[in-house]
Structure formats: structure tokens, C-alpha cells
């Protein structure tokens, strides 16, 4: 405990305590007659306006791990591994502007809570719906665990987490997530919605101060870019024949950079937590307005990514309490080295609280997916809305406990590796969800077979990527693209294979006039807005009325 930065720790605890109180108080915010339904507990009553949704989506998409990992990648290997995150979030928002309002409308019209609900209604296929649900559930698990990695990085730099004593080593993490579990259980999606205001305000404050203050301490931007270019040109430790990284992506890296950007953009809003935050909006135009203003976060992300190169110029040494180099610690360590202790505490709180919002939304989304598409669909079809809410609350606790055990007992690299798989897997749900919003030309069995082959190929290709330093499998996200001998994002290659197979099988089955299931939606459902006369809001959730289409 002699190495603890007490001033920073006190500020961190005070701010953490403040958001904890806000999380518990959130249960009284816009409180309905009953919280015992997934519409209220899991979607906040589908009542959030433009600004609440903006903060909620920003808190959901820009996670603690984003603020730790992106500059860490810039610090370690440069632009291809790190800076692609900036253009991908720019490409992302026009994509969701096009399709997310349609998903909101049809979900509002039929009371869908998860993307698998929509797939079931659109194709009348329980197997395809189950595939979408299981994929989303599995892909979310390591994502939650990585929020813990972000908090651990802060605790380690502030001086907690060392030694063999479990109280000194892991107790802060236990306490943080016990509090998270408690207020999420009681307040549901309202808790992260309220806390997101504090989280995003702190993040904006810290990044703006850092981008103005820190360059002046290390010689200005000319010195920063010069130091980064020099480091990236040095021979790699793993392979001296190659440079450490890329200052500017070369011609041989363009496919990797482009496919990472496009694939990540297509995948992000397939995650259950992204869709959960979107479906909590009060209207379809709320989604479109957010697609227009969310790029403000991309601007901040770009500034944050450059802090990885500021750390190079500052000579930051991200060494863990175990004495080993750990690039994931570079931003917390930079803040501790360069900021006064009190402001370092504010910065640490921004990162730690930045883990709470997405972790809460992810656990709620995973719980909703399990409850709607596994528990009710396969185990208890007659479950009432009250029983659904109870099961979802309990599953949200189990999900958080699993993530905690995952991080505490396994190597952190496993969480990172599984998150790589998460991105590969979740992109394979894109054809069923997004194309299904516009057409039923794709056959349900073609979509299911394409999904399965994309999953198998992506998992196998990722397994064969070996880390040159550790020798571990799942060592990266890039592999040769078949047919063009260029390195590219594995998820995109798997997606193309998935799409081609789905299209071929669909063409054959359509020609044979094989049934494509029963579609419970109609054209007008995809344009429904708040106040649609065909939707009746009850205490037990959203239900269809008997009004004719």
C-alpha cells in the first residue's frame, strides 16, 4: 500500500460513490407503475429522448476498454492496429441512419426486445432466432469482462492490485461490481442512462484537458509525431526483419486497414447492447438524430488515440505491479506521470466509470436475450411479463459474476482473444437482421447455413493466428484473404463467405418454392412511430391491439 497514490484514489472513490448513489436513485426517475416487465426494466420504458439516448449510446459504444485499448494499440504498434477505430466510427453512423429506424419501428409495433425477437417474427424460424440469440449472448460475455480489464488498469496504476493478499489485490474490483450488480438489478436500464451523463462529461473534460495540456509538456505535436514515427520504424522485438508498427499504413496494409474499419462498422450495432440502447429511444427520429450527432464522440476518440503517441514522446513506461511491461496501462500511467494527483484521480474516475455504463447495458442486453429467446421461447413459453423481468434480473447478476470470475481466474489475454472472436461471430448475424428489414428474398435456411459456415470459418481462421511473442492462438484479427493474397479482417472474410452461401442456397430454395416461414410483420410496421394507433402501452409492456393494419 506504500505505492498508493492516495490523492488520486480519494478522488476516484468519491466520484465512484457519487455515480453509485445516482444508480440507486435512478429507479425513481420516470418510474412507471411497475418495473416488472422487460419493456420497463430492460428498455427504460422505450421513453428516452434525443439527448438521453445520445449519452446512453455514447456511454454504451465508447467503453472503458476503448479508452484503454485504442491508445494502447497506437502506443505499441501504430495506426493500423489503433487509428482504424476512428474512421470506422465515422462510417458507422450513416449505416445505422439507414436501417436502425426501421428496426426501432418494427420492434415498437410488435413489442420486440431483442434482434432475435425480430428474426423470429420476420422468418417464423425458431432455429434461426436461437442462432442469433446465442451468438449475441456469447459475443457479449467477453465484452463485459473487458470492462473489468479497464478498471483493473486504473486500479493497478493507482497502486492497488499488487501482492498475494486477495483483499489488497481484488477487493476493490469485487466492491465495484457488487455495487454495479445491485443498482442494475433494482433500476434496470435507467441506471446506466443516468450515470452516462457523468461518465461522458468526465471523459470529455479529461480528453480536452489532456490534448491541450500534455503536448506542451513534451515539446509539441512536432515532437510527438517525430517520436512516434521513430519508434514505429524500429525493428520489431518479435521479428527484427519487420518494423515495430505503422506510422502511416503502407500500400500492403491498405486492405487490412479498410476491412478492419468496414467490418467493425458493420458489426458494432449487431451487438445486443447497441440494439438495446437504440430500442430504448422514444421515437424513430430520435435514432436518426443520434446518427447525426454521435460523430462528436468520434472526434474525441481521435484525440484519445493520439494520446498513445503522446505517451511515446513522454517516455511513459507502462509497467505493471508484476514488473512486466503492459501496454494496456499506458494511458493511466501517462495521466499519473503528467497530471497533478487530484486531476489524475478525475481521469482515473472517468475510465473506471466509463466501464460501468457499458457493463450495465451489456449485462441487461445479455439477460434480455437469454430470457426472451431461450427461457421463454424454449423453456417456458407461457411465462408472464413479470416472470420474464424476474428471470432477466437474475441472469444479469449471473452474467456479471461470470465476467468477474473470468477476469480474476484467467489470463487477461484470454478475454482479449475471446473478444476477437466476439467481433467475428456477431458480424455473421448481419444478413438475418439488416437484410431482413428490407426483404425476405433470403431464405431462412440459407441464412442459417450461411451463419453456421461463417462462424466455423471465422473461428478456425482466428485460431490459426498465432501471437509471435507468446505462441498463443487467437493472436490477432488479421489473416490472408482467400483469392487475393492480402491481409484482411477475418470477420469480413467470414461475412462474405456467409453472404455468398446464404444467397446461393436462397436462390435454390426459392426456385424450388420451399416455404420461407410465416412473416408476422407488414410493410407499414417498418415506418411506425411513437403514438402509432396499432400499439397499446400497458403496464405489462407493449402489445398489439386488435386494430386492423
Amino acid at each position: 500500500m506504500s505505492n498508493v497514490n492516495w490523492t488520486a484514489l480519494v478522488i476516484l472513490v468519491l466520484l465512484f460513490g457519487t455515480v453509485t448513489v445516482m444508480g440507486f436513485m435512478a429507479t425513481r426517475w420516470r418510474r412507471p407503475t411497475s418495473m416488472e416487465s422487460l419493456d420497463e426494466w430492460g428498455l427504460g420504458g422505450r421513453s428516452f429522448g434525443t439527448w438521453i439516448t445520445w449519452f446512453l449510446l455514447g456511454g454504451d459504444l465508447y467503453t472503458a476498454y476503448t479508452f484503454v485499448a485504442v491508445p494502447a494499440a497506437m502506443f505499441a504498434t501504430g495506426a493500423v492496429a489503433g487509428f482504424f477505430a476512428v474512421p470506422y466510427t465515422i462510417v458507422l453512423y450513416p449505416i445505422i441512419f439507414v436501417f436502425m429506424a426501421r428496426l426501432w419501428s418494427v420492434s415498437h409495433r410488435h413489442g420486440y426486445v431483442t434482434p432475435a425477437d425480430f428474426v423470429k417474427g420476420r422468418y417464423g424460424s425458431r432455429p434461426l432466432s436461437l442462432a442469433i440469440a446465442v451468438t449475441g449472448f456469447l459475443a457479449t460475455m467477453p465484452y463485459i469482462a473487458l470492462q473489468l480489464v479497464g478498471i483493473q488498469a486504473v486500479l493497478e496504476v493507482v497502486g492497488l492490485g499488487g501482492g498475494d493478499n486477495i483483499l489488497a489485490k481484488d477487493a476493490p474490483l469485487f466492491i465495484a461490481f457488487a455495487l454495479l450488480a445491485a443498482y442494475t438489478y433494482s433500476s434496470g436500464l435507467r441506471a446506466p442512462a443516468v450515470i452516462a451523463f457523468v461518465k461522458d462529461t468526465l471523459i470529455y473534460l479529461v480528453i480536452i484537458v489532456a490534448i491541450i495540456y500534455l503536448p506542451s509538456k513534451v515539446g509539441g505535436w512536432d515532437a510527438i509525431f517525430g517520436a512516434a514515427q521513430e519508434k514505429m520504424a524500429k525493428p520489431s522485438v518479435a521479428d527484427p526483419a519487420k518494423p515495430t508498427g505503422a506510422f502511416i499504413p503502407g500500400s500492403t496494409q491498405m486492405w487490412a486497414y479498410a476491412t478492419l474499419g468496414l467490418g467493425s462498422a458493420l458489426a458494432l450495432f449487431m451487438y445486443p447492447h447497441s440494439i438495446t440502447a437504440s430500442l430504448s429511444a422514444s421515437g424513430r427520429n430520435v435514432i436518426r438524430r443520434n446518427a447525426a450527432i454521435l460523430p462528436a464522440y468520434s472526434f474525441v476518440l481521435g484525440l484519445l488515440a493520439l494520446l498513445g503517441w503522446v505517451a511515446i514522446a513522454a517516455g511513459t513506461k507502462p509497467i505493471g505491479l508484476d514488473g512486466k511491461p503492459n501496454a494496456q496501462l499506458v494511458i493511466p500511467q501517462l495521466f499519473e506521470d503528467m497530471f497533478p494527483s487530484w486531476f489524475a484521480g478525475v481521469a482515473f474516475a472517468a475510465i473506471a466509470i466509463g466501464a460501468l455504463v457499458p457493463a450495465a447495458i451489456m449485462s441487461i442486453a445479455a439477460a434480455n436475450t437469454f430470457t426472451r429467446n431461450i427461457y421463454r421461447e424454449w423453456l417456458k413459453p407461457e411465462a408472464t411479463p413479470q416472470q420474464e423481468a424476474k428471470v432477466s434480473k437474475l441472469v444479469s447478476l449471473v452474467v456479471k459474476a461470470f465476467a468477474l470470475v473470468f477476469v480474476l481466474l484467467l489470463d487477461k489475454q484470454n478475454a482479449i482473444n475471446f473478444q476477437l472472436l466476439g467481433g467475428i461471430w456477431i458480424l455473421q448475424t448481419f444478413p438475418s437482421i439488416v437484410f431482413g428489414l428490407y426483404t425476405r428474398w433470403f431464405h431462412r435456411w440459407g441464412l442459417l447455413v450461411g451463419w453456421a459456415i461463417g462462424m466455423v470459418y471465422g473461428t478456425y481462421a482466428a485460431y490459426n493466428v498465432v501471437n509471435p511473442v507468446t505462441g498463443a492462438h487467437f493472436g490477432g484479427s488479421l489473416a490472408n484473404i482467400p483469392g487475393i493474397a492480402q491481409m484482411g479482417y477475418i470477420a469480413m472474410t467470414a461475412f462474405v463467405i456467409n453472404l455468398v452461401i446464404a444467397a446461393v442456397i436462397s436462390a435454390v430454395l426459392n426456385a424450388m418454392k420451399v416455404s420461407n416461414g410465416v412473416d408476422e410483420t407488414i410493410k407499414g410496421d417498418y415506418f411506425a412511430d411513437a403514438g402509432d394507433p396499432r400499439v397499446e402501452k400497458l403496464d405489462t409492456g407493449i402489445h398489439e391491439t386488435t386494430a386492423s393494419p
Side-chain angles (χ1 to χ4, degrees), residues 111-130:
Y112 298 147
V113 175
T114 70
D117 281 351
F118 163 69
V119 171
K120 169 67 163 48
R122 183 63 156 157
Y123 294 98
S125 173
R126 296 176 75 206
L128 182 59
S129 173
L130 180 63

Side-chain angles (χ1 to χ4, degrees), residues 22 34 50 115 158 174-175 197 450 460 463 478 492 505 512 529:
M22 292 175 66
S34 172
T50 300
V158 85
F174 277 114
I175 294 170
F197 285 93
Y460 178 76
Y463 176 83
L478 301 175
M492 276 300 290
I505 294 177
M512 295 173 63
D529 207 344

Side-chain angles (χ1 to χ4, degrees), residues 291-315:
I293 61 179
L294 274 167
Y297 283 95
S298 300
F299 173 70
V300 173
L301 181 62
L303 300 179
L304 179 73
L306 292 176
L307 292 181
W309 285 356
V310 173
I312 295 174

Side-chain angles (χ1 to χ4, degrees), residues 119 122-125 127-129 132 428 431-433 435-436 439-452 498-518:
V119 171
R122 183 63 156 157
Y123 294 98
S125 173
L128 182 59
S129 173
I132 300 302
Q428 307 318 309
S432 298
I433 298 170
F435 295 162
T439 178
R440 269 172 46 90
W441 181 87
F442 284 94
H443 198 280
R444 55 181 176 167
W445 292 113
L447 290 169
L448 186 60
V449 174
W451 165 85
N498 173 356
L499 191 57
V500 169
I501 290 172
V504 170
I505 294 177
S506 295
V508 172
L509 294 180
N510 289 337
M512 295 173 63
K513 300 189 183 303
V514 176
S515 172
N516 198 17
V518 178

Side-chain angles (χ1 to χ4, degrees), residues 9 65 74 79 129 202 221 247 263 265 270-271 288 338 381 391 475 547:
L9 180 60
Y65 190 69
M74 292 287 286
S129 173
L202 288 175
W221 286 106
F247 179 69
M270 297 301 99
Y271 279 100
R288 291 183 166 180
M338 305 295 286
V391 170

Side-chain angles (χ1 to χ4, degrees), residues 303-340:
L303 300 179
L304 179 73
L306 292 176
L307 292 181
W309 285 356
V310 173
I312 295 174
T316 304
K317 304 295 183 185
I319 306 296
L321 293 175
D322 58 2
K324 299 178 181 179
N326 182 358
Q328 306 299 324
L329 304 178
V330 68
I331 290 303
Q333 190 63 59
L334 174 68
F335 289 163
E336 181 170 68
D337 292 345
M338 305 295 286
F339 284 143

Side-chain angles (χ1 to χ4, degrees), residues 210-253:
I211 214 70
I212 294 173
Y213 174 75
L214 294 182
S216 65
K217 303 283 288 185
V218 296
W221 286 106
D222 185 60
I224 291 168
F225 288 125
Q229 186 173 18
E230 181 181 348
K231 176 180 178 177
M232 295 305 142
K234 291 180 179 179
S236 168
V237 174
D239 185 356
K242 297 180 180 178
T244 294
F247 179 69
I248 296 176
S251 59
T252 60
Q253 298 168 310

